[in-house]
Every structure is written in C-alpha cells, then in structure tokens.
Amino acid sequence: MNIAIVSGKGGSGKTTIAVNLFSYLKDVRLIDADTEAPNDHLYLPGEDATDTVNKEIPIIDQTLCTKCHACADFCAFNAIVPTKTKMLVFDDLCHDCRGCHLVCQEGAISYKNHPIGTIMTRNIDGKPFLSGTLSIGEQSGNKIISTMKETKSTTKHTIIDGPPGVSCKTVETLDGVDYVILVMEDGLFGLHDADMVVELLNELKIPFGVVLNKAYDHVHVGQNYIQENLLNLLVRIPYDETYQNLSSKGKLLTGEISYQRILDTIIKGVGII
Ligand code: SF4
Ligand code: SF4
C-alpha cells in the first residue's frame, strides 16, 4: 500500500506522523518528498549513501537548426526562446519533459545532464528510508520525487512524506498512491490551507482521511469543518507538551503508550494490514 502524508501548511505535524508511523510499522519504507525542506532524517539517524539526481536539458545544434520555432512553441515552460540569430535555452526553466526533442524535425536537439539535487538512502532497523533534497536555485523537485518513488522496493508499504500545500510537487507525490493522510492543525489558519488540499484530493479522487492535530478542547474549527464536509476523521490528537518537547529534540514518540494508541487508530482507519 502506498500512503502519502500531506498537509496544508508547514508545522502541522506531518513529519511527526510520517516518521513515527514508519518507525512503528514493519515491512515499510519511507520517502521524504519534501525536497525543499526535508527533515525526516533528523529523527532517523544512521549511515547514509547519497546519489546525485540530474535533469536533462536540451542543447541545440545551431548548425542543424532551421529556426522553425517548433521547439519554442511546444515548450510550455518558455525554456526555449527564439532570437534573431539563434534559439536560446534557459536551463532553469526546463522541466525535463524531452518534448522539444520529439518535435524537432532536424535532429538538432540533444541533451546534457544538469544536477538538480540529491537522494540520500539510509537503512533504519532493516527498513529503507530515502530523502530527497533540491539544490538551492533549482526550480522543481519533481524529478527527485519521481526517482525516489520509482526506486525498487520489496517492502509491503511505502509512506511518502509530501511537501506542504498545493503545488506540482504535491501532485507528483500523490501520483499513484492508494491513500492519503491529511494532517490538519486545528484552528482557522490550518483550516484555510487544508481546504485547498481537500479540494485537490477530491479532484484527483484519491481516498483520504484527516488527522486533526494539536487540537484544543475549546477550539472546534477543525472538528466542525470535518463534519460539515463529511470527511473521514482518522484521529484527533490533543495538543500535548510532551509530544512537542520530544519532537523538538528530534525524538520519536513511539515509546509513549498514548501515542502508540494514536498510531494504532491511524493504522486501523487507513486499513494498513
Ligand atoms: S525545432 Fe529544431 S529546427 Fe526548429 S527551432 Fe527548434 S531546434 Fe531549431
Ligand atoms: S525538455 Fe521540455 S521543458 Fe525542457 S526545454 Fe524541452 S520542451 Fe521545454
């Protein structure tokens, strides 16, 4: 089963759920797909191996190019711009779709590797953990996310800790998953951002359940939203200083009996067997 964990905004508790669920379950791997700010590794120390991820960007042979503009017309990201004398390629804007190569009738387009980030791999108690990092200045971590997801795995389950918010990286994270855990911080601020994710999940028709996190007894915003929108509430986690203190020190919560009960409830609600 492939399970993505997402949130409307950073700081909702998505990472806490991801690393503790990974630690608690057997036969599972974890992918940290929050490539602009990966932090699952802080909770899961160990030896690691690192591989570079490249994107392929076009090189145009100006001696073969007839300046027909087909490549520039095709490129949805405006990465190829015609000038009076040549076709210019803006590496940073290229999304590595290889479409320009297909539309060029002159065979003028080849590709070169351009490093965009890294994938770190660790073995945590016999379970694979992958974490992607986008290099500073690069535009898109989609290739890093898809490369990690395509990495062969023999585990029964994969947990993908996705980026916060709604972006093309979120869509890449959600591609092909069986279930989504939406971690929502209780309160108006958390609700606004989570609502956009709910809209996206409904659009993509992916089954999901909500973890209502950092919930206070006197705040009913999240609970009301879940009821009004007929969402599946997996579990409500009350705000707890103990959890916050342990997490802020990079500790897992799986040793806490009360947190084990929370994880058991999530596992049951998602249907992980
Ligand atoms: S499609 Fe090929 S021939 Fe046409 S402008 Fe682009 S590189 Fe040149
Ligand atoms: S590979 Fe795709 S995104 Fe990159 S320049 Fe060509 S058409 Fe544009």
Side-chain angles (χ1 to χ4, degrees):
M1 187 174 196
N2 294 326
I3 305 146
I5 303 181
V6 298
S7 64
K9 68 175 191 66
S12 300
K14 178 175 61 62
T15 295
T16 307
I17 299 292
V19 294
N20 283 288
L21 207 48
F22 169 68
S23 180
Y24 196 59
L25 285 167
K26 294 185 177 66
D27 211 357
V28 63
R29 71 169 171 160
L30 174 65
I31 292 174
D32 189 348
D34 188 1
T35 55
E36 282 170 34
N39 57 1
D40 292 6
H41 61 281
L42 300 174
Y43 297 85
L44 303 165
E47 297 288 317
D48 51 57
T50 305
D51 293 308
T52 302
V53 180
N54 294 298
K55 72 176 178 183
E56 292 191 312
I57 48 176
I59 309 173
I60 297 179
D61 184 337
Q62 304 291 343
T63 61
L64 296 176
C65 175
T66 58
K67 321 280 183 299
C68 73
H69 296 188
C71 53
D73 292 344
F74 176 84
C75 184
F77 304 98
N78 299 320
I80 303 179
V81 176
T83 68
K84 274 187 185 159
T85 52
K86 63 195 286 199
M87 305 300 288
L88 285 180
V89 178
F90 289 89
D91 295 2
D92 288 345
L93 298 180
C94 174
H95 278 56
D96 194 8
C97 77
R98 296 183 74 91
C100 49
H101 170 75
L102 295 176
V103 299
C104 179
Q105 299 297 308
E106 308 301 327
I109 298 181
S110 57
Y111 289 91
K112 65 177 178 186
N113 276 340
H114 172 89
I116 56 165
T118 55
I119 295 175
M120 183 205 73
T121 308
R122 275 182 190 165
N123 186 310
I124 307 293
D125 300 329
K127 297 181 284 190
F129 162 49
L130 290 82
S131 175
T133 304
L134 183 69
S135 297
I136 292 168
E138 291 301 327
Q139 305 290 320
S140 169
N142 281 22
K143 177 95 182 263
I144 300 174
I145 296 170
S146 62
T147 304
M148 289 193 290
K149 288 173 74 177
E150 284 160 14
T151 304
K152 278 207 170 70
S153 173
T154 54
T155 58
K156 196 170 174 187
H157 306 297
T158 293
I159 295 171
I160 308 166
D161 183 7
V166 174
S167 66
C168 56
K169 294 186 294 293
T170 312
V171 175
E172 185 70 52
T173 298
L174 297 176
D175 184 34
V177 302
D178 302 301
Y179 195 91
V180 174
I181 297 172
L182 168 60
V183 183
M184 189 169 112
E185 187 179 322
D186 209 352
L188 275 176
F189 190 37
L191 178 66
H192 176 265
D193 295 324
D195 187 47
M196 291 191 289
V197 182
V198 168
E199 215 174 299
L200 175 67
L201 292 171
N202 284 332
E203 184 72 25
L204 296 174
K205 298 186 170 50
I206 304 174
F208 68 97
V210 181
V211 169
L212 186 61
N213 200 21
K214 301 181 195 172
Y216 292 93
D217 285 341
H218 62 281
V219 177
H220 305 287
V221 174
Q223 198 84 268
N224 290 346
Y225 173 80
I226 288 165
Q227 279 169 5
E228 282 161 16
N229 291 279
L230 306 174
L231 303 183
N232 176 25
L233 176 63
L234 293 170
V235 70
R236 176 183 178 276
I237 307 177
Y239 180 83
D240 189 319
E241 286 276 318
T242 311
Y243 299 159
Q244 302 305 318
N245 288 337
L246 286 171
S247 280
S248 66
K249 290 178 185 143
K251 306 278 185 212
L252 294 170
L253 305 176
T254 45
E256 303 291 310
I257 300 290
S258 58
Y259 204 81
Q260 286 175 7
R261 279 199 288 269
I262 289 168
L263 292 173
D264 284 333
T265 309
I266 295 173
I267 289 166
K268 198 171 162 213
V270 175
I272 302 168
I273 47 170

